[in-house]
Amino acid sequence: MSAVADPSPRERRRRLLADLVARYEVASQAELVALLARAGVEATQATVSRDLEELGIGKQRGADGRLAYALPEPGGLAQVLRQFAVDVAASGNLAVVRTPPGAAAAVASAIDGADLDGVLATVQGDDTLLVVAEEGTSGHEVAAVLRARKHANPARGTLPAADADATS
């Protein structure tokens, strides 16, 4: 039986960095440096910048209009819904998702990629998309699934007070 090697300090830092981006709405590299330090990992802003680039983590505008770092999750429906779905409603066999201008295509693509049961297709405009339910599934059921996915993981929070103070 071979032993599994512990991850390198670089790998541990990158895993922590990805976890912090998933858990908090982080708007700057300085905030990430402070969060890493609070977790006992010292890193420079240049190191964090390289890690972000190599991990494919970039800034995206959320439903509230603010920019924050986001993970590059292929098919990451929960994150996309948390970031961009302003409202989810239903009528008949349709679920209606409202987004900020320009974000409907990203949400539609994530829904299509998630291959959700009961979803036939999506049709999107600039800030609204229709999710068409399959025969036998109501728009209300699809909307409930989308809302559940949006809230499946705890919403990313704002930085803890100590971290916000440390980065001011």
Side-chain angles (χ1 to χ4, degrees):
M1 182 185 287
S2 63
V4 176
D6 286 334
S8 70
R10 176 178 176 225
E11 290 169 344
R12 281 193 302 272
R13 181 185 68 243
R14 287 182 170 188
R15 286 181 190 166
L16 178 58
L17 186 66
D19 180 59
L20 293 170
V21 167
R23 290 178 46 206
Y24 300 110
E25 288 184 16
V26 182
S28 74
Q29 291 176 7
E31 290 173 342
L32 284 170
V33 169
L35 286 167
L36 287 168
R38 185 170 181 193
V41 175
E42 296 301 319
T44 65
Q45 196 163 335
T47 297
V48 168
S49 178
R50 276 191 303 275
D51 287 346
L52 290 170
E53 184 172 336
E54 290 178 21
L55 291 170
I57 296 172
K59 285 188 175 182
Q60 293 185 346
R61 190 168 308 279
D64 61 2
R66 293 186 297 187
L67 286 173
Y69 286 103
L71 298 175
E73 295 179 288
L77 180 58
Q79 182 176 350
V80 169
L81 289 170
R82 280 193 301 275
Q83 268 191 290
F84 298 118
V86 175
D87 184 50
V88 180
S91 177
N93 71 328
L94 301 174
V96 180
V97 181
R98 299 204 188 282
T99 71
V107 177
S109 179
I111 292 170
D112 291 339
D115 196 28
L116 297 174
D117 287 338
V119 172
L120 182 63
T122 59
V123 180
Q124 100 274 335
D126 184 53
D127 63 356
T128 304
L129 67 121
L130 300 176
V131 184
V132 182
E134 291 178 342
E135 190 71 34
T137 303
S138 74
H140 291 281
E141 291 170 302
V142 171
V145 167
L146 294 174
R147 285 189 207 102
R149 286 286 182 105
K150 179 177 179 175
H151 301 293
N153 296 321
R156 295 188 324 166
T158 56
L159 295 175
D163 294 326
D165 293 342
T167 60
S168 297

